[in-house]
Amino acid sequence: MPPPADIVKVAIEWPGAFPKLMEIDQKKPLSSIIKEVCDGWSLANHDQFALQHADSSNFYITEKNRNEIKNGAILRLTTSPAQNAQQLHERIQSSSMDAKLEALKDLANYSRDVTFAQEFINLDGISLLTQMVESGTERYQKLQKIMKPCFGDMLSFTLTAFVELMDHGIVSWDTFSVAFIKKIASYVNKFASDISILQRSLAILESMVLNSHDLYQKVAQEITIGQLIPHLQGTDQEIQTYTIAVINALFLKAPDDKRQEMANILAQKQLRSIILTHVIRAQRAINNEMAHQLYVLQVLTFNLLEDRMMTKMDPQDQAQRDIIFELRRIAFDAESEPNNSSGSMEKRKSMYTRDYKKLGFINHVNPAMDFTQTPPGMLALDNMLYFAKHHQDAYIRIVLENSSREDKHECPFGRSSIELTKMLCEILKVGELPSETCNDFHPMFFTHDRSFEEFFCICIQLLNKTWKEMRATSEDFNKVMQVVKEQIMRALTTKPSSLDQFKSKLQNLSYTEILKIRQSERMNQEDFQSRPILELKEKIQPEILELIKQQRLNRLVEGTCFRKLNSRRRQDKFWYCRLSPNHKVLHYGDLEESPQGEVPHDSLQDKLPVADIKAVVTGKDCPHMKEKGALKQNKEVLELAFSILYDSSGQLNFIAPDKHEYCVWTDGLNALLGKDMLSDLTRNDLDTLLSMEIKLRLLDLENIQIPDAPPPIPKEPSNYNFVYDCN
């Protein structure tokens, strides 16, 4: 007979004694269990003791986390968190360097436990650590020369403990002094060779900037881009990641009027080329966190275009009108410019109107009116001028080629440029905040200082080429734009490493090739609309939906690893959730690292009966999406968020790794609750499976006997002379 669910069999250690085997009743108060253990070893003052896991975590067991104890676990009887915090608080102030070093090492280890952290913070431990950092260099200036390794280790453990304590979110970041910030900033330069000190100093600076506006201003005064750049030129990818994270944080929190100034400094310091050389093209794989930071930098850089994108052209502004005149001058370079006599004014206006029509503007008389729509606003005009000046031959060829046509197949350069700029802004999500979970950076955008403009130049030439291939007229404008968008999106998915490679990918995606791809996809998704077929669909659909439901539930039984998002993303914490095989209980629990395969049920500490689930909510309705944070409200995270609500106020919050897992879990949970599965994935699966099933049922199998066993494999031929070698 299996033991009761509330009884857990464990071993408990105590230094100098043989471990005890015990059965812990999870219904009993933890204090009475600790008293029972202490009595067994004749230890008085049981309230000064606690239990902790004997594994590498050494986390204390509390009433909140006691359900994490598993059968066969090894526990340790130790001093209570309050007493341990008090002892370490005293030990780190020891006059003995060796004792102080050992105490700080223990503090760095214990600070990962939120139970201990709360007790140490209650003793004003954070203030003590900041004082040690502020006065540390002066106090041990002599020691630094004669005991440099000891001093470096001491500082490293102090900063590690500080980072771990702050990561629990118990103390506000707004409480730190300028002296502390100055000291941390100085470590970025002084300890460039000490990886651990440098790493923790960068992590502290990033958290300060992201979590406090006041601290952003103070950090921005103390740390310069020039001080950070050398750390990108090293070989340690983790240091490079932390460095880019600090740059991103400064970029993200900078006021609007300061961002362009910061971008100019980054350009002067050649940040892009340094990242390209030492990070993207380095002889090593880019890990997920580095990919995320590069993606954030890419988004923040493109977001600098938002101001121009949302700026309307002022038709009365002469400087802006001069840009349009310049476009006309470069394209046509009139040989016989009319003189300035009043008699030629009408002739000049007529000529300008004719030229603006050739340039493809909608408003021939006053083309400035074409740039009053936002987006793309003035950004479109900026792109056109860049193309005209930096790719002059291609610009002149496109304009003259289309202006000389008289068969209604001319491609309007002005209108095309405006719509293309708007499309590129949508593709690159200009103006949107970066996602917390996305790693989708494009190496080619790091290969040029004016990557967006170059991107436009390649795409406007593609648009002109596609227009000719489609033999389009002005009525086909939207169709051409749809094809061009498909060409660009398909080329981007291959992640070209340079703009030239992107260009060559587009060369292979001609209009003919797009038609072939579309035809192939259409054949695979062919939909029959005749009445008998629709009736057959209606009859088959419940079976298909049941099949999809079973697949979703089977995926929930396999389970998924979810990431816990916090203020410092590199400290990745994972948790796993899966459905029991009988579909009655959800098992979930924290993990030390991302698992390679399935996680067994018995290793997941917490349970939630499906019968207790009240509702499943998504997006903005989720409790964890109502919290305010710098990156919490962005669109991509909202699209991946869902929560299970149970009891009166209980909730289980999820952020799916990707859209597919989001659809699988929301479908599966809705199926468990007896609700409809409404995700895009379900609609696509239903269409695909219905199409396949109908095609199978419509096969002409009359008078064809289907064998029960597969046909035998024929013998190998006596020779292979019939094989044609293509090489």
Side-chain angles (χ1 to χ4, degrees):
M1 184 176 176
D6 295 318
I7 302 298
V8 183
K9 294 184 177 182
V10 298
I12 300 179
E13 298 176 342
W14 172 251
F18 286 107
K20 280 188 174 185
L21 296 176
M22 264 190 83
E23 288 188 354
I24 292 179
D25 187 350
Q26 294 283 38
K27 290 181 179 177
K28 289 174 66 175
L30 193 58
S31 56
S32 63
I33 295 170
I34 293 171
K35 183 178 185 304
E36 185 182 336
V37 174
C38 290
D39 291 344
W41 275 310
S42 304
L43 299 171
N45 302 322
H46 68 88
D47 56 335
Q48 295 181 8
F49 291 90
L51 291 173
Q52 66 180 181
H53 292 280
D55 56 16
S56 58
S57 71
N58 292 327
F59 285 177
Y60 280 100
I61 293 165
T62 64
E63 291 290 354
K64 287 183 179 179
N65 64 19
R66 62 185 295 177
N67 289 330
E68 297 176 11
I69 303 173
K70 309 167 195 170
N71 273 314
I74 301 175
L75 309 181
R76 183 187 299 120
L77 185 67
T78 186
T79 52
S80 67
Q83 192 173 3
N84 193 11
Q86 182 66 50
Q87 290 172 358
L88 277 171
H89 193 273
E90 294 169 2
R91 286 171 57 202
I92 62 175
Q93 299 178 73
S94 170
S95 57
S96 165
M97 288 298 104
D98 290 339
K100 194 183 190 80
L101 179 63
E102 196 61 33
L104 286 168
K105 184 178 180 181
D106 290 342
L107 178 63
N109 183 42
Y110 278 113
S111 295
R112 294 179 298 129
D113 184 359
V114 66
T115 310
F116 170 85
Q118 184 67 69
E119 297 292 344
F120 189 78
I121 289 169
N122 290 343
L123 296 171
D124 211 13
I126 293 283
S127 297
L128 178 60
L129 290 178
T130 55
Q131 288 167 18
M132 290 171 64
V133 169
E134 288 172 18
S135 62
T137 310
E138 288 79 8
R139 186 182 298 177
Y140 303 114
Q141 207 161 24
K142 294 179 182 178
L143 285 170
Q144 190 176 356
K145 294 177 181 176
I146 60 175
M147 300 175 64
K148 191 169 183 180
C150 176
F151 176 80
D153 290 343
M154 195 178 296
L155 184 56
S156 174
F157 290 134
T158 305
L159 295 178
T160 302
F162 177 84
V163 169
E164 294 293 351
L165 290 168
M166 290 303 297
D167 197 35
H168 296 298
I170 300 169
V171 179
S172 169
W173 282 93
D174 287 307
T175 57
F176 299 107
S177 67
V178 175
F180 179 72
I181 298 167
K182 284 178 180 287
K183 193 65 67 176
I184 295 297
S186 72
Y187 294 156
V188 173
N189 296 323
K190 285 184 180 178
F191 295 96
S193 59
D194 193 318
I195 299 298
S196 59
I197 293 176
L198 179 58
Q199 176 184 312
R200 284 150 184 78
S201 299
L202 290 168
I204 292 169
L205 290 175
E206 183 203 1
S207 295
M208 283 179 172
V209 172
L210 288 177
N211 290 287
S212 168
H213 177 69
D214 291 338
L215 287 185
Y216 154 73
Q217 294 177 320
K218 293 171 184 174
V219 171
Q221 291 171 357
E222 295 300 325
I223 200 81
T224 65
I225 301 300
Q227 292 170 317
L228 295 171
I229 292 291
H231 302 309
L232 290 173
Q233 295 171 315
T235 56
D236 189 295
Q237 188 169 116
E238 196 166 2
I239 293 298
Q240 292 175 324
T241 304
Y242 275 86
T243 303
I244 297 176
V246 173
I247 293 171
N248 285 340
L250 289 168
F251 217 144
L252 184 67
K253 289 296 182 177
D256 293 342
D257 58 332
K258 293 284 185 184
R259 283 187 188 170
Q260 188 59 56
E261 183 182 324
M262 186 175 173
N264 295 337
I265 295 170
L266 294 178
Q268 289 171 10
K269 299 293 183 183
Q270 297 184 320
L271 176 72
R272 178 199 58 75
S273 59
I274 289 170
I275 288 176
L276 183 66
T277 304
H278 296 279
V279 178
I280 296 175
R281 291 181 177 170
Q283 298 300 312
R284 61 174 180 269
I286 292 176
N287 61 35
N288 286 339
E289 182 54 33
M290 174 60 86
H292 172 72
Q293 294 301 340
L294 291 172
Y295 152 78
V296 172
L297 182 59
Q298 173 185 293
V299 171
L300 294 176
T301 304
F302 284 142
N303 280 357
L304 292 170
L305 303 169
E306 184 182 11
D307 183 51
R308 294 294 283 173
M309 180 181 78
M310 301 308 293
T311 300
K312 294 182 179 181
M313 185 171 185
D314 180 2
Q316 306 305 317
D317 188 318
Q318 188 59 42
Q320 294 179 1
R321 291 167 64 88
D322 286 345
I323 299 175
I324 299 177
F325 291 148
E326 181 68 5
L327 288 173
R328 177 195 160 278
R329 185 196 67 77
I330 295 172
F332 303 111
D333 195 22
E335 294 178 6
S336 54
E337 189 72 30
N339 57 38
N340 292 325
S341 65
S342 58
S344 64
M345 186 63 70
E346 290 300 320
K347 187 177 179 182
R348 180 179 302 187
K349 284 183 179 179
S350 173
M351 182 182 68
Y352 282 176
T353 300
R354 186 188 69 231
D355 288 349
Y356 290 147
K357 184 177 181 181
K358 289 180 179 179
L359 277 169
F361 290 113
I362 297 173
N363 192 316
H364 309 148
V365 177
N366 186 6
M369 299 303 296
D370 286 15
F371 300 96
T372 55
Q373 179 191 358
T374 58
M378 288 295 291
L379 184 60
L381 189 57
D382 295 343
N383 283 339
M384 293 166 72
L385 183 63
Y386 181 91
F387 181 50
K389 285 190 170 182
H390 293 83
H391 299 269
Q392 197 170 104
D393 291 345
Y395 168 70
I396 293 172
R397 177 179 54 78
I398 288 175
V399 173
L400 296 184
E401 186 179 85
N402 287 289
S403 63
S404 61
R405 300 187 69 152
E406 296 181 359
D407 56 359
K408 297 183 180 181
H409 290 288
E410 67 277 4
C411 176
F413 173 74
R415 183 186 176 191
S416 299
S417 297
I418 293 167
E419 290 301 318
L420 179 64
T421 301
K422 184 179 178 181
M423 180 201 294
L424 297 183
C425 289
E426 290 172 358
I427 290 172
L428 298 177
K429 299 181 179 177
V430 174
E432 291 187 20
L433 281 172
S435 163
E436 271 276 10
T437 55
C438 186
N439 301 334
D440 188 25
F441 82 97
H442 293 277
M444 73 177 190
F445 292 130
F446 290 85
T447 62
H448 201 285
D449 289 328
R450 305 286 295 273
S451 58
F452 184 81
E453 290 87 342
E454 289 292 326
F455 185 43
F456 168 84
C457 294
I458 292 171
C459 294
I460 192 66
Q461 293 177 75
L462 167 73
L463 193 154
N464 187 64
K465 172 174 170 283
T466 303
W467 185 284
K468 288 190 290 185
E469 290 173 349
M470 293 177 68
R471 291 191 54 76
T473 62
S474 56
E475 287 81 10
D476 302 317
F477 187 86
N478 290 333
K479 291 180 183 177
V480 176
M481 294 305 293
Q482 288 172 5
V483 173
V484 169
K485 184 173 184 178
E486 187 173 344
Q487 290 170 314
I488 294 169
M489 294 297 289
R490 288 184 184 276
L492 283 177
T493 55
T494 64
K495 291 292 179 71
S497 60
S498 67
L499 289 163
D500 286 339
Q501 197 176 91
F502 173 68
K503 198 171 183 178
S504 66
K505 296 278 184 189
L506 291 175
Q507 292 292 336
N508 297 328
L509 283 169
S510 63
Y511 176 58
T512 306
E513 185 63 27
I514 291 293
L515 284 180
K516 288 179 183 176
I517 293 170
R518 285 182 174 181
Q519 181 66 22
S520 174
E521 290 175 351
R522 195 178 296 117
M523 288 176 66
N524 292 334
Q525 298 174 2
E526 189 175 4
D527 192 13
F528 302 99
Q529 296 299 323
S530 64
R531 187 174 174 183
I533 299 298
L534 292 174
E535 289 176 358
L536 181 59
K537 267 189 177 183
E538 195 174 331
K539 183 179 179 182
I540 297 171
Q541 187 161 315
E543 301 172 26
I544 302 297
L545 282 172
E546 182 61 28
L547 186 66
I548 294 171
K549 175 184 172 182
Q550 291 305 318
Q551 187 273 338
R552 300 291 192 266
L553 293 176
N554 288 340
R555 277 289 293 107
L556 265 61
V557 170
E558 291 174 17
T560 301
C561 178
F562 298 93
R563 176 183 273 114
K564 287 186 173 181
L565 295 182
N566 57 15
S567 59
R568 281 173 43 244
R569 190 176 182 275
R570 280 168 304 287
Q571 298 293 321
D572 277 344
K573 295 179 181 177
F574 300 93
W575 67 291
Y576 200 88
C577 188
R578 64 181 299 180
L579 182 66
S580 62
N582 62 4
H583 301 174
K584 296 288 180 67
V585 178
L586 281 173
H587 297 265
Y588 62 96
D590 293 343
L591 300 175
E592 288 295 320
E593 56 185 7
S594 181
Q596 298 303 313
E598 288 185 24
V599 176
H601 292 98
D602 54 7
S603 66
L604 300 173
Q605 309 89 2
D606 299 304
K607 299 178 183 178
L608 173 61
V610 172
D612 291 349
I613 298 176
K614 304 297 182 188
V616 176
V617 293
T618 60
K620 290 182 180 178
D621 296 327
C622 297
H624 58 314
M625 288 294 106
K626 293 177 181 176
E627 302 167 6
K628 290 187 178 179
L631 300 179
K632 285 285 182 187
Q633 297 298 331
N634 70 70
K635 187 178 175 184
E636 289 190 38
V637 173
L638 282 172
E639 289 178 350
L640 298 176
F642 62 99
S643 298
I644 295 174
L645 307 181
Y646 60 93
D647 295 339
S648 57
S649 59
Q651 61 197 43
L652 201 55
N653 297 321
F654 300 76
I655 293 180
D658 51 50
K659 191 67 178 175
H660 182 270
E661 287 296 318
Y662 169 85
C663 293
V664 166
W665 273 85
T666 51
D667 283 344
L669 292 170
N670 281 325
L672 285 173
L673 298 178
K675 297 181 179 179
D676 292 337
M677 299 179 292
L678 302 174
S679 75
D680 294 339
L681 184 63
T682 292
R683 282 196 291 273
N684 292 338
D685 287 351
L686 182 62
D687 290 344
T688 303
L689 292 171
L690 271 175
S691 176
M692 288 172 60
E693 184 66 20
I694 286 171
K695 286 176 182 177
L696 284 171
R697 295 198 181 198
L698 293 178
L699 284 175
D700 186 8
L701 299 178
E702 189 176 353
N703 299 324
I704 297 176
Q705 188 173 1
I706 301 175
D708 296 328
I713 298 173
K715 293 180 180 179
E716 289 191 20
S718 57
N719 62 66
Y720 292 90
N721 295 338
F722 55 87
V723 176
Y724 179 73
D725 187 358
C726 297
N727 297 322

